[in-house]
């Protein structure tokens, strides 16, 4: 792959104090970029800013704003020469989106439209979007970027698919506005320092933070949502990717973003079942995780994993960390912080 000469960019990272946003901020700083963070702290903690300083020695400029607020977002574009935007800020609880659809459509779509409008107005030519494998809907894995998208099972997923369309059409109408749509599979794990990691508010919806809280004794047991799927052990299979690998994928995406609409799966290409993940956690961390097999969770699909060849070929990026790394780092963070 031809190495592109990387110039140091000013990157606006929305949701930059969140789980994936904070890990990406660290990797951007390590690659000598300047990061400006906009975050409303609805699902993140201001303390993460100091952790970023501890890890990198750099304090990113921070704006405590809601990125649906056009006037507040415009101030940032007036105060800084922004070279690119990485847009993480958004509501992301699948179940909650079913009970609060308007909140999800408003937050996730208006934020994307406000940021795109400001990029076009201020001539910012690079926009990287936090999308999700959920946009593929229920179709056979491995999932490939050129597949036709199927309707998702929830408003959260729909906001991701709609945001992709808003960005695609805006890029087609403004050739200097290049976009990269990154479809995440299942992000897990934490920075090796254990200083930052996945720290959701309330009872976790996702598997890994639930497992770490059971291991810690904060939750009594894990409910395994069904073991009657057509998979290796009957439990759901997903493509878990270490959050640090995911963060590095964002750096590669924005450094290689020059024109048009670019879509990439960010996964490992390998499927892992719920019980395989739980048993790896128990083995690596030498700690018990009591669980009970219960009924399926509505909306879940049996198997979901990525075809990852396109990101490797075009971005020169490939996930390197293993399931063992993921369960070790997730537990290391949980022990130290929560
Ligand atoms: C993984 C597996 C569950 C919890 C969702 C969104 C996706 C992204 C990641 C936002 C499944 C099983 C889970 C539990 C369980 N969203 N499970 N007991 O559903 O693959 O993806 O989160 O960031 O867009 O769709 O992730 O972690 O909820 O579930 O058995 O308590 O673990 O059935 O097989 P999912 P998950």
């Amino acid at each position: 792959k031809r190495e592109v000469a990387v110039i140091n960019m000013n990157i606006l990272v929305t949701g930059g104090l969140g789980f994936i946003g904070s890990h990406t901020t660290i990797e951007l700083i390590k690659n000598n970029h300047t990061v400006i963070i906009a975050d409303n702290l609805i699902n993140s903690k201001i303390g993460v800013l100091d952790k970023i300083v501890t890890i990198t020695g750099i304090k990113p400029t921070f704006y405590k704003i809601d990125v649906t607020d056009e006037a507040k977002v415009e101030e940032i574009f007036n105060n800084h020469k922004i070279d690119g935007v990485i847009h993480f800020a958004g509501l992301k609880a699948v179940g909650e989106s079913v009970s609060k659809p308007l909140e999800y459509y408003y937050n996730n779509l208006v934020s994307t439209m406000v940021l795109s409008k400001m990029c076009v107005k201020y001539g910012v030519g690079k926009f990287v979007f936090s999308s999700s494998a959920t946009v593929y809907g229920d179709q056979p894995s491995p999932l490939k970027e050129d597949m036709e998208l199927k309707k998702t099972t929830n408003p959260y997923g729909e906001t991701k698919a709609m945001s992709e369309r808003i960005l695609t059409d805006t890029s087609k109408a403004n050739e200097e506005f290049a976009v990269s749509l990154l479809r995440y599979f299942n992000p897990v794990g934490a920075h090796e320092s254990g200083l930052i990691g996945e720290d959701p508010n309330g009872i976790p919806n996702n598997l890994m933070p639930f497992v770490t809280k059971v291991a810690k004794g904060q939750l009594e047991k894990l409910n395994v949502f069904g073991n009657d799927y057509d998979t290796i052990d009957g439990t759901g299979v997903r493509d878990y990717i270490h959050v640090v690998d995911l963060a590095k994928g964002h750096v590669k995406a924005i450094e290689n973003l020059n024109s048009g609409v670019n879509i990439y799966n960010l996964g490992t290409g390998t499927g892992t079942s719920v019980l395989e993940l739980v048993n790896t956690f128990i083995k690596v961390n030498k700690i018990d995780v009591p669980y009970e097999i219960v009924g399926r969770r509505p909306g879940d699909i049996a198997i979901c994993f990525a075809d990852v060849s396109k990101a490797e070929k075009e971005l020169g990026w490939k996930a390197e960390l293993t399931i063992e790394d993921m369960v070790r780092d997730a537990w290391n963070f949980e022990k130290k912080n929560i």
Side-chain angles (χ1 to χ4, degrees), residues 178-213:
V179 302
S180 188
L181 308 174
L182 303 183
R183 292 173 180 166
Y184 307 162
F185 282 73
N186 286 65
V188 295
H191 188 264
E192 61 188 0
S193 65
L195 289 173
I196 57 171
E198 188 168 12
D199 184 8
N201 297 334
I203 304 286
N205 301 292
N206 294 133
L207 177 63
M208 185 71 93
F210 204 105
V211 166
T212 55
K213 292 216 177 306

Side-chain angles (χ1 to χ4, degrees), residues 111-123:
S111 60
T112 300
M113 288 186 271
V114 163
L115 288 159
S116 305
K117 180 179 175 181
M118 289 302 135
C119 284
V120 171
K121 180 174 179 178
Y122 287 85

Side-chain angles (χ1 to χ4, degrees), residues 104-296:
Y104 272 68
Y105 284 115
Y106 187 87
N107 270 282
N108 292 4
L109 299 183
V110 172
S111 60
T112 300
M113 288 186 271
V114 163
L115 288 159
S116 305
K117 180 179 175 181
M118 289 302 135
C119 284
V120 171
K121 180 174 179 178
Y122 287 85
V124 176
K126 295 170 183 275
F127 193 109
V128 173
F129 176 63
S130 167
S131 190
S132 167
T134 203
V135 301
Y136 290 108
D138 188 358
Q139 51 184 319
S141 288
L143 297 166
K144 258 186 88 57
E145 292 89 348
D146 58 2
M147 274 176 161
E148 191 181 327
L149 302 188
K150 295 267 184 291
K151 188 157 175 10
T152 69
T153 61
N154 57 78
Y156 159 80
E158 287 304 286
T159 67
K160 291 299 181 185
M162 291 174 182
S163 288
E164 287 198 2
R165 288 206 296 277
I166 290 165
L167 291 165
T168 299
D169 291 344
T170 305
S171 180
K172 285 176 177 167
N174 300 276
E175 65 174 6
E176 70 287 356
F177 181 62
V179 302
S180 188
L181 308 174
L182 303 183
R183 292 173 180 166
Y184 307 162
F185 282 73
N186 286 65
V188 295
H191 188 264
E192 61 188 0
S193 65
L195 289 173
I196 57 171
E198 188 168 12
D199 184 8
N201 297 334
I203 304 286
N205 301 292
N206 294 133
L207 177 63
M208 185 71 93
F210 204 105
V211 166
T212 55
K213 292 216 177 306
V214 171
K216 190 119 185 247
Q218 280 179 4
L219 293 169
E220 183 214 345
K221 65 176 169 40
L222 169 71
N223 294 310
V224 175
F225 298 143
N227 68 345
D228 57 350
Y229 289 103
D230 184 13
T231 65
I232 185 169
D233 55 24
T235 64
V237 168
R238 296 291 184 272
D239 185 335
Y240 297 97
I241 176 171
H242 197 292
V243 65
V244 173
D245 275 329
L246 188 65
K248 289 177 177 172
H250 285 74
V251 178
K252 287 285 190 183
I254 200 154
E255 290 180 348
N256 289 277
L257 180 53
N258 297 307
S259 63
V261 178
N262 310 269
I263 303 175
Y264 298 105
N265 288 333
L266 294 189
T268 65
T270 302
T272 301
S273 79
V274 175
L275 290 183
E276 284 173 331
L277 188 93
V278 170
N279 289 327
T280 305
F281 186 99
I282 292 168
K283 176 169 65 76
V284 166
N285 296 317
K286 299 178 178 48
I287 188 159
D288 192 24
V289 176
Y291 64 82
E292 181 189 342
I293 307 289
V294 297
R296 294 183 177 191

